[in-house]
Amino acid sequence: MDDAPGTVDLLAHAELPMESVITDIEAMGEALLRIAAVAEEYTQEMDVANEAKAPASARLALVGKLSTALAEPAAAFRASADAFVERMVGIEAGIHTAFDMVESLPPDERDEDSERFLQQIIELGESTRLGTTHITEFGSVMKTVVGYSRLLRVPGRDIAVAVRTVASVATRIDSLERRARALLAAAPPPADHDTAASPSVLTHLTAS
């Protein structure tokens, strides 16, 4: 059919939404950094209050301030996690269609666009896996903080839901990565292959 998309059309269609995926990931990273900063600040203040044997009312007031400070970044983390997963689920079929097109070509006929696309998916998989590990660990730490008081349950719930949401799509991204690796392994290396890796798209999530 004259209107049927070609290889480059399919690859471009699959690549375009990846920019939005990276934006979602960066938004998650920014929210996490803000949450971590707030939690660290107020945990230190709580430690001081405990050492000074401050009355429960004073500590409860401090927890209330912590809850207020966590509310906005926790909600932002949940919203960006929802957007990330929704977008990934939405483009997953398109990625597999692009994979099918690449797979239909003999390995020696695949061009640089095909290789770049496969590398992008592999990097996304690696970065998401590492980022998910850090997010899960962060979620475990936040459970302790939330345990201070019921006042922290609302931001705590947003964080917990976001952690579960990101983890839910991790195995699907792993599947995409495995297929990309299999297709890339079948292709002969180009004469001037650049092995320099692109920056991780989850830099913000894996920052310590």
Side-chain angles (χ1 to χ4, degrees):
M1 294 178 60
D2 292 339
D3 293 336
T7 305
V8 175
D9 300 316
L10 286 171
L11 293 176
H13 184 71
E15 285 179 348
L16 285 176
M18 295 299 291
E19 295 181 6
S20 296
V21 169
I22 292 173
T23 298
D24 295 332
I25 290 172
E26 290 175 343
M28 280 193 289
E30 180 182 350
L32 274 178
L33 290 174
R34 291 164 58 200
I35 291 170
V38 170
E40 181 178 4
E41 175 186 351
Y42 279 89
T43 298
Q44 291 175 350
E45 291 189 30
M46 184 65 71
D47 288 341
V48 171
N50 289 335
E51 291 176 3
K53 297 183 179 180
S57 58
R59 283 178 285 172
L60 187 60
L62 190 57
V63 170
K65 292 180 180 179
L66 169 59
S67 179
T68 299
L70 282 175
E72 196 279 327
F77 178 38
R78 181 173 179 174
S80 56
D82 287 342
F84 166 67
V85 172
E86 181 178 356
R87 210 179 305 273
M88 278 304 308
V89 171
I91 68 174
E92 185 178 13
I95 292 174
H96 277 296
T97 299
F99 282 161
D100 292 341
M101 179 62 77
V102 173
E103 193 171 31
S104 70
L105 297 172
D108 58 354
E109 293 184 14
R110 297 173 190 171
D111 57 17
E112 293 181 359
D113 288 333
S114 300
E115 181 178 345
R116 184 176 65 252
F117 170 69
L118 296 175
Q119 288 285 7
Q120 285 180 335
I121 301 302
I122 290 170
E123 290 167 11
L124 175 66
E126 293 174 340
S127 300
T128 302
R129 184 166 53 255
L130 181 60
T132 300
T133 298
H134 283 266
I135 287 174
T136 302
E137 292 173 351
F138 181 81
S140 298
V141 172
M142 286 306 301
K143 284 182 180 179
T144 301
V145 175
V146 172
Y148 286 156
S149 169
R150 61 183 177 83
L151 296 175
L152 293 169
R153 288 176 187 169
V154 172
R157 182 168 57 247
D158 282 340
I159 294 169
V161 169
V163 169
R164 291 196 299 269
T165 298
V166 174
S168 71
V169 80
T171 54
R172 300 171 72 161
I173 297 177
D174 284 345
S175 177
L176 294 175
E177 180 192 353
R178 285 195 298 272
R179 191 172 180 193
R181 286 187 182 280
L183 289 170
L184 194 61
D192 298 321
H193 182 62
D194 183 3
T195 58
S198 300
S200 168
V201 296
L202 277 182
T203 299
H204 290 288
L205 292 188
T206 59
S208 57

